[in-house]
Amino acid sequence: MLGYAAKRVLVSIPVIFGILIVTFSLARMIPGDPCKAMLGDKVSAETCQAFVERHGLNKPLISQFFVYVEDIAHGNFGDSIRFSRPVTQIIVERLPMTAELAMLALIVATVVGVGLGIIAARKQNSATDVGTMVLANVGISMPVFWLGLMLAYLFGVILRGTPLWLPPSGRLSAGMASVPFYEVWHWQVVADTTQARFLAFLSNFYVLNALITGNWPLFWDALRHMVLPVIALSTIPMAVIARMTRSSLLDVLGRDYIRTARAKGVLDRDVVRKHALGNAMLPVVTILGLQMGALLSGAVLTETVFGLAGVGRMLVEAIFARDYPVVQAFTVMIAVSYVVINLLVDLSYSYLDPRIRPQ
Amino acid sequence: MTSLNNASAAAADAIAEEGLIGDPVPLWKQTWKRLLRKRSGQVGLIIIGLLLLIAITAPVIAPYDPNDVLIGTEHVKRREAPCVHLLGCDINRPQHIMGIDGNSRDTFSRVLYGTRVSLMIGLVTVTTALVSGVLLGAIAGFFGGIADNIIMRIMDVILGFPSLLLAIAIVAVLGPGIVNALLAISIVSMPAYARVTRASVLSVKTLDFVSATRALGGSPARILFRRVLPNALTPIVVLATLGIATAILDAAGLSFLGLGAQPPMPEWGTMLGTEKDQVFSAPHLVFFPGIAIMLTVLGFNLLGDGLRDALDPRLNT
C-alpha cells in the first residue's frame, strides 16, 4: 500500500512540473516587453533592470524557469500590478472563499447525488427513476452561470418579502462583519508573520469562523449567502454523481452474490445498504476527483454571477486588468490543487478497493 | 406450443434484424435503427434536427436582422419586456416575443442567429480537437517509444488542469476573442481523443489482419487509416458527440466572462454576459439565451448517450 502510494505520488510530480512549464511558457508568450507585462506600463528603467536581473531574463530560458520554480517553492508569486502588493497575500484573502464554496458544493453534490442515484436504481424504470434521470440530463446540460442568475432572480426578487428570500449576492449582509476567531479569543498575533497569515487564512472561511466563535447570527447570515451559489455550483456534479450511482448500483444489484443474499431472505433495504452500496460506490469515488475540476472551473463563473470575492472572480478581473502575475499564480495554484485532490482520490480508491492494490 | 413457436419466431426475427442471419446489415444501418429505438436518441435527434433547421433558415424566420438597432425605426424602449400578440399584448405594438435587449435589438432574432454561432463553435472545436487528437494518439500508439512518451506526457499535463481554467489561461495570453476561445477549447479537449485512439491502436496493431496488410506491402498510412483507425471509430464518434456539448457549454462560459465571442456577435454566452447585471430588471434577456444554450447542450448530450448505447456491442441482442 505504501509502495503504491509512493509510486502514485511520483507519477504526479512530472504532471505538476508540466503545469509549471505551461504556466511559465504562457507568461513568456505574452506579447511585448516581459518587464512591462509583469510590473505594469509605468515602471521605471532602473526597476526594470533590477527585475530582469532578479528573474534572470537576460539568461537562457531554462535558468529563467528554475528561478521561477524556486520562487514558487518559496511561496513567492511576485507582486500584483493592480494592487502593488504580494500575490501571496491576495491568495490568503481570496482562496478561503472559493475553498468554502467548492467544499460545500462538493458535499451537497455528493450527498444529494448519491441519494437520488440510490432512489432511482431501487425503483428502476418507475416514474421516480425516469424523472430523476431526466432531471439529471437537464442538470448536466445546464450552464452554471445561467442557473445562478435565474436562482438570484427567483430567490432574490420574486420571493422578496417571503421567508424563502435569499440574498442574491455578496458574502455577508450590509452591517455584518466577520471578526477573526483569533481576535475574539484575544490571541497575541504578530503582524506579517507566517503564523499571522495562516490564522488570517483560516479566519477567512467565514462560515467556519462564525461556527467556532459561536457567533450564530453571523453564521446564519454567512450560510444564507452561500445557499444560492452552492446550489448553482453543485448542480452539474450532482447530476453526474446521480447518474453514476444509479448505473453502478444497477450493475452491482444484478450480480450473483446479491441474488444469493436475496435468496437467503435478506431484507431489500439491507441488500442495498450492506451488500451492494459499498461496491457500487467505487466508480463514484473515481469521478469525485474529476468533478473537482468542474467545481473549480464552475467557481470562476459562480463567483462572477454572485459577486463573490474569490480566486475565480479575481482571476477574471486580473485578465482584463492585464495583471499577469496574478493570472499566473492563480492558474498554478488551482491546477496544482486539482492534481493533489485527484492524487488523494486515487489513494483513497486503492484503500477502498484492495483489488487494485499491487500485491 | 404455439407461444413457444411465436417466441422462437420473434427471436429469429430479432436475430435476422441484427444481421446475424441472412445478408449482413451494415453497422451504420444497425446503429441508426437502434438509435431510433432509444428514447434519448429520439429526443436528441429531434432537438438537433430543429436546431439545424433554425440555423439554416434563420434569415427567413427571424423577424429582424440580429444587429438592427430598432430605436428610431419602431416605437420600442431599451430592455422592454416581451410583447406577444397571442398572449394579450396590444395588437398595435410591434411583436417581440423575447423582448428588446440593452442595445434596442430584437432578442428573438438574436437567439435564432445564435444557433448558427453555437453549432459552428461546437463543430469547429470538435473537428480541430478530433483531427489533432486522433493524429497524435495514432502516432503515439503506432510508433511507441519516445514519440509515445512525449505526446502522452503532454496530454497528461493538459488533463492536469481543470479544462475551463486552462482555456481561460490560454485566452488570457492570446487575448479575448472567438477564434482564440475556439483554439483554447480545442486544445483542452484534445487529450481525450488522443488517449482513445492510442488505446485502440495498441489493441489492434499486433493482430493478424494488420500484419497481413503489412506483409502485402501496405504503407504505414494505409495500415493506420484503413486497418487501425476504423476500429477506434465507435468510441471516437461517441466522444465527439458529447464533446460538442461540452465545447458549446465551455465556449458560452468563456463568452459570458467576456473572453470569447465579442459583442455585437449574437452568441448566447455573450448575450447573457452583457445583460447579467440587468437580471433583476430585465430577466427575459438572461432567460432566453440560457434556455437556448441548455437545449442545444442537452440535444448533443442525449444523442451522445443514445449513440453510446446503440454502438455498444454488448447490448447486441
Side-chain angles (χ1 to χ4, degrees):
Chain A
M1 180 65 203
L2 263 180
Y4 173 75
K7 207 173 140 197
R8 187 61 190 75
V9 170
L10 280 178
V11 171
S12 310
I13 290 175
V15 174
I16 290 183
F17 220 65
I19 287 172
L20 292 174
I21 294 177
V22 169
T23 47
F24 172 79
S25 332
L26 285 178
R28 291 298 174 280
M29 278 156 64
I30 299 165
D33 184 1
C35 170
K36 284 202 170 128
M38 295 307 270
L39 295 179
D41 284 330
K42 285 164 261 167
V43 68
S44 72
E46 296 89 73
T47 327
C48 234
Q49 189 56 42
F51 179 82
V52 168
E53 291 286 324
R54 167 80 192 76
H55 292 270
L57 292 184
N58 44 7
K59 299 204 187 94
L61 271 179
I62 189 86
S63 49
Q64 290 182 32
F65 177 69
F66 284 112
V67 173
Y68 170 71
V69 173
E70 199 186 329
D71 276 353
I72 288 182
H74 289 113
N76 174 11
F77 287 101
D79 288 356
S80 158
I81 299 170
R82 197 153 59 114
F83 300 104
S84 313
R85 59 198 187 98
V87 177
T88 319
Q89 273 183 28
I90 301 176
I91 292 177
V92 168
E93 285 162 26
R94 301 287 187 120
L95 184 61
M97 153 87 249
T98 307
E100 198 166 72
L101 178 64
M103 282 192 292
L104 285 172
L106 183 67
I107 293 170
V108 170
T110 312
V111 172
V112 181
V114 168
L116 286 177
I118 293 175
I119 294 171
R122 286 187 65 176
K123 304 193 169 170
Q124 195 191 359
N125 295 331
S126 69
T128 329
D129 178 28
V130 174
T132 314
M133 286 307 114
V134 167
L135 272 184
N137 264 321
V138 173
I140 287 172
S141 314
M142 192 101 72
V144 183
F145 45 97
W146 179 73
L147 179 64
L149 287 168
M150 285 296 116
L151 286 172
Y153 179 67
L154 177 64
F155 286 93
V157 176
I158 295 185
L159 296 176
R160 182 176 289 156
T162 69
L164 278 175
W165 179 83
L166 285 166
S169 71
R171 288 185 80 181
L172 293 172
S173 302
M176 288 280 198
S178 174
V179 186
F181 61 90
Y182 52 89
E183 282 180 24
V184 174
W185 296 336
H186 303 292
W187 285 10
Q188 297 298 322
V189 180
V190 187
D192 275 336
T193 55
T194 312
Q195 186 209 8
R197 277 192 215 110
F198 182 65
L199 289 178
F201 177 78
L202 286 183
S203 70
N204 275 331
F205 288 84
Y206 282 6
V207 175
L208 180 78
N209 185 60
L211 186 69
I212 58 173
T213 54
N215 190 339
W216 302 117
L218 192 70
F219 174 73
W220 184 233
D221 193 58
L223 203 59
R224 275 168 62 93
H225 278 83
M226 288 305 253
V227 174
L228 296 182
V230 166
I231 296 178
L233 187 55
S234 60
T235 303
I236 290 184
M238 188 193 295
V240 175
I241 291 170
R243 274 169 50 141
M244 196 61 172
T245 307
R246 176 182 178 272
S247 65
S248 165
L249 190 56
L250 281 178
D251 183 38
V252 172
L253 285 176
R255 303 249 178 94
D256 288 344
Y257 79 95
I258 295 293
R259 199 175 47 184
T260 309
R262 287 196 204 281
K264 67 179 189 176
V266 179
L267 283 177
D268 188 49
R269 191 187 61 203
D270 289 341
V271 168
V272 172
R273 213 187 285 164
K274 291 186 183 152
H275 296 262
L277 209 50
N279 283 330
M281 279 305 103
L282 290 171
V284 178
V285 174
T286 336
I287 58 160
L288 275 187
L290 294 174
Q291 288 313 305
M292 273 315 285
L295 284 176
L296 291 170
S297 303
V300 179
L301 297 162
T302 314
E303 286 169 9
T304 306
V305 168
F306 290 100
L308 300 170
V311 282
R313 182 150 170 253
M314 186 73 191
L315 178 66
V316 177
E317 285 174 6
I319 290 175
F320 286 110
R322 310 194 131 265
D323 195 349
Y324 289 115
V326 173
V327 176
Q328 200 182 20
F330 281 28
T331 312
V332 171
M333 206 186 53
I334 299 177
V336 170
S337 31
Y338 181 50
V339 172
V340 172
I341 290 165
N342 270 303
L343 175 67
L344 294 177
V345 168
D346 271 13
L347 292 181
S348 68
Y349 190 71
S350 71
Y351 171 76
L352 291 173
D353 187 357
R355 281 171 305 177
I356 70 157
R357 266 180 238 161
Q359 299 304 315
Chain B
M1 200 58 203
T2 12
S3 70
L4 198 66
N5 274 338
N6 279 345
S8 60
D13 279 350
I15 292 170
E17 197 172 292
E18 295 297 341
L20 296 178
I21 294 180
D23 296 331
V25 182
L27 174 70
W28 293 115
K29 214 169 163 188
Q30 287 179 39
T31 308
W32 180 247
K33 270 188 168 170
R34 282 206 292 262
L35 185 63
L36 286 182
R37 248 181 270 147
K38 288 283 293 185
R39 182 58 53 83
S40 57
Q42 294 166 355
V43 179
L45 278 175
I46 291 173
I47 295 178
I48 294 167
L50 279 176
L51 289 169
L52 280 175
L53 198 68
I54 292 174
I56 294 166
T57 60
V60 183
I61 50 177
Y64 297 87
D65 184 274
N67 293 325
D68 255 1
V69 176
L70 298 175
I71 284 239
T73 53
E74 269 183 20
H75 197 65
V76 289
K77 284 188 292 239
R78 280 176 76 207
R79 301 209 174 88
E80 198 166 88
C83 169
V84 187
H85 290 160
L86 276 175
L87 296 179
C89 177
D90 186 351
I91 198 83
N92 296 320
R93 292 179 49 209
Q95 173 159 272
H96 296 283
I97 60 176
M98 293 182 186
I100 302 289
D101 78 356
N103 288 310
S104 312
R105 295 169 299 202
D106 180 52
T107 309
F108 179 55
S109 307
R110 292 181 65 73
V111 169
L112 291 183
Y113 273 89
T115 318
R116 292 184 156 188
V117 180
S118 279
L119 291 182
M120 188 272 294
I121 289 172
L123 289 179
V124 170
T125 44
V126 168
T127 312
T128 321
L130 191 141
V131 171
S132 46
V134 166
L135 275 181
L136 287 173
I139 293 171
F142 210 63
F143 297 106
I146 299 175
D148 184 21
N149 257 315
I150 294 178
I151 292 173
M152 295 325 284
R153 290 303 81 74
I154 294 176
M155 296 300 135
D156 285 350
V157 170
I158 297 179
L159 285 173
F161 288 88
S163 65
L164 189 63
L165 179 87
L166 181 59
I168 289 176
I170 295 173
V171 175
V173 171
L174 299 178
I178 183 79
V179 177
N180 291 343
L182 294 187
L183 189 65
I185 296 171
S186 306
I187 294 175
V188 301
S189 40
M190 207 165 53
Y193 302 100
R195 282 193 165 180
V196 166
T197 311
R198 177 177 175 273
S200 337
V201 170
L202 286 181
S203 69
V204 297
K205 81 169 178 183
T206 51
L207 295 184
D208 285 347
F209 75 100
V210 177
S211 312
T213 312
R214 194 171 287 142
L216 287 170
S219 66
R222 185 183 166 80
I223 295 172
L224 188 59
F225 286 104
R226 299 302 299 262
R227 297 288 176 262
V228 175
L229 280 187
N231 285 288
L233 216 53
T234 305
I236 289 175
V237 165
V238 175
L239 213 55
T241 316
L242 296 172
I244 295 178
T246 322
I248 292 177
L249 208 53
D250 282 356
L254 283 178
S255 300
F256 172 78
L257 294 171
L259 297 168
Q262 300 296 314
M265 187 184 263
E267 204 276 335
W268 296 327
T270 311
M271 292 166 69
L272 258 158
T274 45
E275 300 292 351
K276 66 171 182 291
D277 296 329
Q278 270 67 45
V279 63
F280 298 129
S281 55
H284 59 278
L285 296 182
V286 168
F287 181 75
F288 292 112
I291 287 281
I293 300 173
M294 202 185 75
L295 272 179
T296 312
V297 176
L298 183 66
F300 284 103
N301 272 335
L302 288 175
L303 182 65
D305 282 351
L307 274 175
R308 180 167 40 208
D309 292 347
L311 286 166
D312 192 341
R314 282 178 305 175
L315 297 178
N316 274 357
T317 39

